[in-house]
Amino acid sequence: MNLKLLVKITLLVGGNSVEFNGKKIKMNYYELFFTTITTEDYQQDLLINALGEIGFDTFEELELGFKAYIPEDIFDQQALDEQLLPYKDLFTFSYEVNLIPQKNWNEVWESNFEPIKIGDKIYVRATFHETKPEFDYEIVIDPKMAFGTGHHQTTAMMLALMLENEFAGKKVLDMGCGTGILAIMAAKLGADDITAIDYDQVCYESTIENSALNNVGNIKPLCGSKEVIPDEQYDTILANINRNILLDQMQRYAEVLKTDGEIYFSGFYESPDLDIITDEARKYGLKYISHKKDKEWVAAKFIK
C-alpha cells in the first residue's frame, strides 16, 4: 500500500542522509504537530490519508493527535492548505510546523517500532527484536520508507484474512506490496509463485530485501502499476491500496484472476467505500463474500 499510513515512525535510513541510486540525499524534514478533537476515531485517519496524498510519508500517533513528516524539498504550504480545507467543517484540528534538521533517522525508527502479533499465529518484528518461536509464522520487516509493517489496521486485517484461507500451491499477485509483508506471508502459507508490484522504487527494493531477510525465494518484485501486471492467470490477488486506485485497476485484476480465484481488497472504509468497491467489482464478475472491520477500515474477500 502506497499511502504511507503508518501508526509509528517507520523511516529507516542510515546516518544523516540516505544513499539512493548512488546519490546522497539530505533528510531535512518538516514536522507538523496536529492536535485533533474528533467525535469518531476514523476522522483522524481521514486527515492522515489526505496528508499521505500530498507527500507526507511518516506519521506518529499521539494521545491527542499525531505528528506528520514530509521532506523539506517537497513541502508545499498552499497544497497543504487546499488539502486540509474539506476537513475544517468536519471536526476541530490545529497544527504547528517545525523544521527538523538532519538526524540519525535509524535511531528514531528503532525507538518507535514495536513488534506486533496477529492473534496467536503471526509475529511481525524487525531485525533488532528477539525471535518468538512459539508463533506459527514470524515475519521480519525492515520498512525503510515503505508502507506495510502490519501496524495499520488494513495490513493486520489482510494478514488475518490470509490465515483463514488456502494459499498452498497457489499463484499469487500482490498489488501495492509496500514492504512485501503480504507477499512474504503468502510464501510462508505455501504459495508457489508470487508476483509483488509497487510503483515506488523504495518499496520495490524493500520487498527484495525483506524477502531475503525471511529466506523467501519465490517472490518476483516488479516496479510499476497495473501496466506491469504480467499477462498470466493468478489464483489469488492481494490489493491493499486505496479506494480510487482499486477502482482504477479493478478491470485489470479481473482479467488476470482465474475463474473461482479469490481477491482480497483493503485500504478503504466500510462506508461508503465498501459498497462502491462492491458495485465496481460486480461489473467484472467479482462477487463479494465477506469482510473484516477494524474501526472504520475494512478488508474484504471477493471471488470471480
Side-chain angles (χ1 to χ4, degrees), residues 21-298:
N21 290 338
K23 298 179 180 179
K24 289 287 185 180
I25 303 172
K26 290 183 178 180
M27 293 304 293
N28 289 344
Y29 266 68
Y30 276 108
E31 174 192 79
L32 274 63
F33 184 0
F34 279 81
T35 301
T36 60
I37 301 175
T38 66
T39 56
E40 301 288 346
D41 289 341
Y42 75 90
Q43 291 177 328
Q44 180 168 292
D45 288 333
L46 287 173
L47 203 58
I48 292 174
N49 182 51
L51 294 172
E53 292 178 352
I54 58 170
F56 285 81
D57 59 21
T58 306
F59 301 88
E60 180 184 8
E61 285 191 341
L62 305 171
E63 186 174 349
L64 295 176
F66 63 92
K67 292 181 180 179
Y69 296 85
I70 187 170
E72 178 187 18
D73 61 344
I74 65 171
F75 177 69
D76 184 331
Q77 184 66 56
Q78 182 178 347
L80 175 65
D81 292 341
E82 292 174 356
Q83 196 76 347
L84 296 179
L85 187 60
Y87 303 98
K88 291 186 179 294
D89 293 333
L90 295 180
F91 52 91
T92 301
F93 64 88
S94 61
Y95 68 89
E96 59 183 62
V97 181
N98 300 300
L99 180 62
I100 307 298
Q102 298 181 49
K103 63 171 66 178
N104 190 333
W105 287 102
N106 187 65
E107 292 180 1
V108 175
W109 177 78
E110 289 192 12
S111 70
N112 283 275
F113 183 86
E114 298 176 358
I116 68 162
K117 303 170 184 177
I118 308 298
D120 59 357
K121 298 290 186 181
I122 303 175
Y123 181 65
V124 182
R125 66 175 179 88
T127 50
F128 49 83
H129 294 131
E130 292 185 3
T131 186
K132 296 282 187 181
E134 63 269 28
F135 285 82
D136 293 344
Y137 305 99
E138 184 173 84
I139 302 176
V140 183
I141 295 292
D142 277 348
K144 292 197 171 179
M145 288 176 285
F147 177 90
T149 61
H151 286 88
H152 195 263
Q153 295 98 317
T154 59
T155 311
M157 285 189 294
M158 288 287 278
L159 289 169
L161 265 179
M162 293 174 71
L163 277 179
E164 297 171 1
N165 292 276
E166 183 62 49
F167 279 79
K170 292 191 174 182
K171 187 179 180 71
V172 176
L173 172 64
D174 180 9
M175 289 299 298
C177 59
T179 60
I181 186 171
L182 299 183
I184 291 167
M185 187 69 230
K188 290 179 177 287
L189 290 170
D192 277 348
D193 184 302
I194 305 158
T195 298
I197 297 176
D198 204 296
Y199 76 90
D200 190 327
Q201 180 73 22
V202 174
C203 293
Y204 166 77
E205 295 183 357
S206 183
T207 296
I208 294 173
E209 293 169 11
N210 287 323
S211 296
L213 284 175
N214 289 273
N215 298 311
V216 171
N218 60 338
I219 295 176
K220 179 175 67 176
L222 297 174
C223 192
S225 188
K226 64 181 180 181
E227 75 281 351
V228 302
I229 297 175
D231 290 323
E232 302 175 10
Q233 291 290 292
Y234 296 89
D235 299 294
T236 304
I237 297 176
L238 308 168
N240 182 19
I241 312 180
N242 68 50
R243 189 191 74 182
N244 291 339
I245 294 177
L246 293 176
L247 293 173
D248 174 68
Q249 299 185 355
M250 187 88 66
Q251 182 175 1
R252 182 57 179 155
Y253 298 161
E255 289 172 353
V256 298
L257 185 64
K258 292 180 180 178
T259 300
D260 295 326
E262 300 172 347
I263 187 164
Y264 303 89
F265 292 127
S266 195
F268 52 89
Y269 297 109
E270 184 176 47
S271 178
D273 296 344
L274 182 56
D275 285 343
I276 295 172
I277 292 289
T278 300
D279 289 343
E280 185 69 13
R282 191 179 297 115
K283 297 177 184 177
Y284 305 109
L286 303 175
K287 179 183 177 183
Y288 165 82
I289 300 299
S290 63
H291 73 275
K292 291 182 177 295
K293 178 181 177 181
D294 188 346
K295 294 184 178 178
E296 292 301 311
W297 296 99
V298 300

